[in-house]
Amino acid sequence: MDVAETDNQMMLRALEEARRAALAGEAPVGAVLANPAGDILAAAGNAPIGMHDPTAHAEIRVMREAALRLGNYRLSGATLYVTLEPCAMCAGAISHARIARLVIAAKDAKGGAVFHGPRFFDQATCHWRPTVERGPYSEESAALLREFFKARR
């Protein structure tokens, strides 16, 4: 399987997690963490409301699960697929976990910290910089978020 096909499959799975989060009343963001062989280490959606945990973003949840599973806080070589541009908290955790590659579907001009805001990985004080790529399904991810928040207004 080539990289583009893997990226498509992983982002589709992240979108499934985002939809599940939306059904639970959470902001529809999903993430998948895969090892270098393309095996899924963890998949999750946002859950700060349900878990009563302000840090329970999809990205944090998959990094925690994978780190526990692997017995190592360093997730070197892993690829993180996320449906929305990570916030500053998540970008910091991605750096500390030494994620090799970050694939982002939709950009987030308001809360994102990779392409927007602090541009975390561009800072001189950043410990580790993953390879950052725009991934597939950006329109689907953005539409899911728009529809979710439109319904709440």
Side-chain angles (χ1 to χ4, degrees):
M1 186 179 324
D2 70 358
V3 173
E5 188 176 340
T6 299
D7 287 357
N8 283 335
Q9 289 183 350
M10 296 298 174
M11 197 60 78
L12 279 174
R13 176 66 190 278
L15 268 169
E16 287 176 27
E17 296 295 334
R19 288 185 186 101
R20 271 185 235 169
L23 290 173
E26 304 278 357
V29 179
V32 171
L33 190 68
N35 68 15
D39 302 315
I40 294 176
L41 297 170
N46 267 7
I49 298 167
M51 295 180 79
H52 309 291
D53 178 357
T55 70
H57 291 193
E59 302 95 306
I60 300 293
R61 293 183 67 210
V62 297
M63 286 186 281
R64 282 180 180 155
E65 183 179 331
L68 285 170
R69 181 176 176 190
L70 297 173
N72 191 341
Y73 75 101
R74 294 251 170 108
L75 301 169
S76 303
T79 298
L80 177 61
Y81 298 87
V82 64
T83 60
L84 184 65
E85 178 181 350
C87 69
M89 172 185 71
C90 292
I94 290 164
S95 177
H96 282 281
R98 306 297 197 264
I99 299 290
R101 185 169 169 250
L102 173 62
V103 182
I104 301 167
K107 289 184 177 183
D108 183 2
K110 183 177 179 183
V114 177
F115 301 116
H116 299 91
R119 299 180 189 262
F120 188 87
F121 301 122
D122 293 340
Q123 301 307 310
T125 56
C126 180
H127 298 298
W128 172 264
R129 292 163 184 82
T131 300
V132 178
E133 299 173 25
R134 286 299 307 278
Y137 302 104
S138 62
E139 288 302 315
E140 292 84 348
S141 296
L144 182 61
L145 285 152
R146 276 192 307 273
E147 292 164 16
F148 177 84
F149 288 110
K150 183 179 179 182
R152 289 184 165 39
R153 290 185 186 121

